[in-house]
Amino acid sequence: MASKPVWEQIGAGFVQHYYQQFDSDRTKLADLYTDASCLTWEGVGFQGNKAIMEKITSLPFQAIRHSITAQDHQPTPDSCVMSMVMGQLKADADQVMGFQQTFLLKNVDNKWICTNDMFRLALHNFGA
């Protein structure tokens, strides 16, 4: 069996690491963002490591578990990796919810960091 392209290996490795950290200790995600990184969380934007981490660490749950059902990765023309993730999450006693998240990863000083991150719960309001 042929090995996966390098961008898929990078993306899959990042996704695994990201959600392991998110589920166990969100504060450890700070190493993945820089002061130039951007996060859009449910349509609200945050820029810079400090603002992103304030948002992530202030989310109103004690425990969370992500289950990844699909992920796709692509190389970009500027040697970055774009990753799209679909899955389900369970926070505290809430019901299981679907989510989608997209990351743009860039190699800075031999370390893959997240320059762009977009997150949405897969909720639909068909009555609106």
Side-chain angles (χ1 to χ4, degrees), residues 30-73:
D31 291 342
L32 302 179
Y33 297 100
T34 69
D35 290 335
S37 295
C38 294
L39 166 68
T40 301
W41 189 274
E42 291 291 320
V44 179
F46 303 88
Q47 185 167 9
N49 185 294
K50 184 175 185 227
I52 291 169
M53 290 310 299
E54 284 174 358
K55 175 58 181 176
I56 290 173
T57 58
S58 70
L59 294 169
F61 50 79
Q62 297 300 309
I64 189 164
R65 173 108 173 97
H66 291 85
S67 177
I68 307 306
T69 55
Q71 55 183 300
D72 296 301
H73 312 282

Side-chain angles (χ1 to χ4, degrees), residues 40-114:
T40 301
W41 189 274
E42 291 291 320
V44 179
F46 303 88
Q47 185 167 9
N49 185 294
K50 184 175 185 227
I52 291 169
M53 290 310 299
E54 284 174 358
K55 175 58 181 176
I56 290 173
T57 58
S58 70
L59 294 169
F61 50 79
Q62 297 300 309
I64 189 164
R65 173 108 173 97
H66 291 85
S67 177
I68 307 306
T69 55
Q71 55 183 300
D72 296 301
H73 312 282
Q74 293 181 347
T76 67
D78 56 350
S79 300
C80 294
V81 175
M82 179 174 281
S83 297
M84 185 191 75
V85 179
M86 293 178 62
Q88 295 181 319
L89 61 83
K90 174 127 176 70
D92 294 333
D94 293 345
Q95 66 181 353
V96 174
M97 295 179 275
F99 76 93
Q100 299 172 342
Q101 194 159 12
T102 302
F103 302 102
L104 184 61
L105 310 175
K106 182 176 183 177
N107 191 317
V108 176
D109 298 326
N110 288 325
K111 177 182 170 190
W112 287 94
I113 56 101
C114 181

